Structures are given as structure tokens and as C-alpha cells.
Amino acid sequence: MALAAASCLPVHAQTRPAWPTRDGHAPLVIAHRGASGYLPEHTLAGYELAVRMGADCIEPDLHLTRDGQLVAMHDATLERTTDAATRFAARNGGWRVADFSLEEVRTLAMRPQGSAALSFHGFKPSAAHPLRVPTLEEIILLARRLEAEGARPIGLYPEAKQAGPRLASHLLSVLAAAGYVGSDKVFLQSFDVDTVRNLRRRQQALGLDFRLVLLSGSANRLLGMELAQVASFASGVGVNIRGEGMSRSFIEMAHAAGLTVHGYTFNEARPATALPEYRKFMGWGMDGVFSNYPDLALQARAAEARLR
Ligand code: G3P
Ligand code: CA
């Protein structure tokens, strides 16, 4: 009966290979700091554009303000991506996120970096304040609304940018309060081993089960720690695609140890060079790509899918 059913399939469907990812599904497209090649990083506008383009996940890096609010910001200080240095000139170089209240952070204007601009042709953000530093709660509200509009899950991929238990505790509280309990839709990441271990302990105590990802500047560092050891407290690794040791065989070893591999950062803006880069790593079995240009990552994934 199984043979008869199989013989009804078109020839290409019988022979096409599955994705070489750990679960056989297509690799995730993770919007790195939002669609940060086009709009200011870590803004609701940038996250929304990424979702409208079709990204699977949005990636907020997180810091705590002086009054204990989680805000999306890559750096520990505010002056690179906002006008904090001019608006708060009297602080004379002390523009740490941790020294600002949320009310103060909300007054800052964004400064687009790299190829990003303050607008993107044909796109009108729907959030009330699309171009200011958002809180994690505001990002979640946006994701929930876009999920409802588009009837598809939007993944959240927050990174704890401060090591230690305080940020981890706030992060789990905010997610739990928003109704997340642990699913394919949420990945928690950190470069700090103790922070990932701490997230694991705390989420278990709270009955949560988010996927935990240990970040590393190189594949070799993870090999030095032993992948089986990493797999004892994380479900995946996030690895610099240009770091030492990144290779097809590293991805295969990680999969054999039970780990997924997400690569960062795909930052090539020109399709002619970007698409082959994505396709190389997708062909190696990479399970997800952190991309500043999610539309290009999706184009590459569609091209790879046609081979399968
Ligand atoms: O989290 C993956 C990647 O974003 C790590 O690099 O410095 O952009 O947070 P960074
Ligand atoms: Ca990050």
C-alpha cells in the first residue's frame, strides 16, 4: 500500500532530497536587529518590515534601563544608534543604557547606521512610535498583532546582552506574562555560558521550555568546549559564519550532538554576492541565518527549495 501511494507521486517528489537541516525543515530566516540593512536597527519599524518581507523570527538584543525595563539595543551605550550624545550632552560620555530611565530613552531619536535609512520605499510602519527605542513588551505586542493579521507565527529571538541573573529573570517574566511558555517560536540566546545555564535553571523552575542558544565567535571555541557538553544545557548554537572552524563538517558534528546551528551575520547587500553565500551555508545544513537583509535570505531559501 505504501509503495502504491508512493508511486502516485511525481518523479521529482520521490527523488528530491530533504533539507540537510537538523529537523529536515527549511532553515529559519532571522531578522538580525530587524531588517537592519534597510531601517534603523532595533526599532518597531525595522522589525515590522522584516515580518512583512516574510522573516520567520525577529531578533531583539536586550539591555535593562535604570528603572529595570528591557529595551532593544545592541550596544551597552546609546550614542551610536541614537542622538543621546547631543540630547544628553551634559552627561559627558556616560550614555550607558543602564543609567537612563525608560522615560528618558523614549525621548531619543534613532541614527541609522550603515545602509539603513529612516524610511523604506513603499513601506509605512503601523506602530504608533516606529522609530524609537522599543521595550520588549512593545516588540511582543507588535509580533502578536502581525501574527494575527498574517495568520502565521512570528518567532522571537531575544539576546541577553548583559550577563547575570537579573536580565535573565526579567526576560523570562516578560515572556511568561505575555503568554509564551516555550515553543518553536521563542529562542533565547547569549554569548555567556553561565547566562544560558541560568536561563535553563530558571525556566525549568517556572515550567517554561524555551529553546536556548549559546552564541560563539567561532565554531572552534564550541569544539573546544565539546559539543556534547554544550548540548547538555542548550538546544542550539549561534556561530559567527566568518569565525575559525565554520564548515560543513562542523554543522554535521553539531547536528550529531543534537544541536541546531544558526549563523551570524549575513550582511551582504548585493544579491549577486549575497545569494551564493546564503545558499552555501543552507546547502551545508545550517538551520537558521541571522540576516540584515531578510528579503535576500528568503530569495536564497526559495532558490534552494526549488532544488528539493
Ligand atoms: O545574536 C546573534 C548575533 O546577533 C550576535 O551578534 O553582536 O549582532 O548581537 P550581535
Ligand atoms: Ca544579537
Side-chain angles (χ1 to χ4, degrees):
M1 189 62 195
L3 276 176
S7 68
C8 295
L9 292 171
V11 171
H12 75 272
Q14 292 176 42
T15 56
R16 65 185 178 187
W19 286 95
T21 51
R22 181 162 182 269
D23 63 6
H25 294 149
L28 293 173
V29 171
I30 306 151
H32 180 248
R33 312 185 194 178
S36 58
Y38 300 118
L39 287 171
E41 66 187 59
H42 293 313
T43 57
L44 295 184
Y47 297 131
E48 180 174 357
L49 177 61
V51 170
R52 302 265 182 223
M53 286 176 161
D56 301 297
C57 300
I58 51 178
E59 192 237 1
D61 295 321
L62 296 174
H63 284 274
L64 279 167
T65 61
R66 188 178 71 213
D67 46 346
Q69 300 298 310
L70 283 171
V71 293
M73 177 70 47
H74 176 271
D75 302 358
T77 59
L78 295 159
E79 69 270 23
R80 181 179 63 87
T81 57
T82 77
D83 62 349
T86 48
R87 286 190 52 81
F88 292 88
R91 297 196 184 186
N92 197 25
W95 299 295
R96 295 192 322 148
V97 180
D99 293 334
F100 279 66
S101 68
L102 177 60
E103 193 180 339
E104 289 168 338
V105 168
R106 286 196 198 284
T107 67
L108 301 174
M110 304 307 294
R111 299 173 62 222
Q113 303 295 307
S115 58
L118 288 172
S119 62
F120 182 80
H121 61 88
F123 169 66
K124 189 171 179 299
S126 61
H129 301 286
L131 287 173
R132 73 180 185 192
V133 179
T135 63
L136 178 58
E137 286 94 334
E138 289 167 341
I139 296 166
I140 289 171
L141 282 175
L142 174 75
R144 292 293 204 199
R145 181 163 57 76
L146 296 177
E147 272 180 351
E149 281 176 21
R152 71 176 177 97
I154 309 297
L156 290 179
Y157 208 131
E159 178 182 347
K161 276 295 183 194
Q162 290 161 270
R166 186 159 171 260
L167 192 149
S169 175
H170 278 70
L171 173 55
L172 292 175
S173 296
V174 170
L175 290 170
Y180 293 99
V181 292
S183 71
D184 288 347
K185 293 199 304 180
V186 179
F187 298 80
L188 309 182
Q189 47 165 341
S190 174
F191 279 99
D192 182 65
V193 171
D194 289 339
T195 296
V196 179
R197 287 183 184 278
N198 182 270
L199 279 164
R200 182 167 184 269
R201 276 194 303 274
R202 282 173 184 262
Q203 74 163 354
Q204 282 176 341
L206 293 167
L208 304 170
D209 187 25
F210 300 120
R211 292 176 181 224
L212 303 177
V213 175
L214 177 65
L215 300 171
S216 176
S218 77
N220 279 356
R221 172 176 169 255
L222 295 164
L223 291 171
M225 293 172 63
E226 295 195 4
L227 294 172
Q229 171 64 17
V230 176
S232 70
F233 61 88
S235 68
V237 290
V239 190
N240 187 337
I241 58 172
R242 291 171 192 86
E244 287 183 10
M246 172 52 78
S247 63
R248 181 196 294 269
S249 78
F250 168 76
I251 294 172
E252 289 171 352
M253 282 189 282
H255 287 175
L259 294 163
T260 54
V261 179
H262 296 164
Y264 73 86
T265 302
F266 289 82
N267 188 32
E268 179 54 65
R270 291 165 299 169
T273 43
L275 268 59
E277 183 177 56
Y278 289 112
R279 295 185 67 177
K280 177 180 85 172
F281 287 102
M282 289 176 178
W284 285 356
M286 188 165 269
D287 304 277
V289 293
F290 287 91
S291 171
N292 293 347
Y293 302 90
D295 55 336
L296 297 182
L298 288 155
Q299 277 182 43
R301 185 171 75 180
E304 277 295 299
R306 285 193 285 275
L307 302 177
R308 302 177 192 285

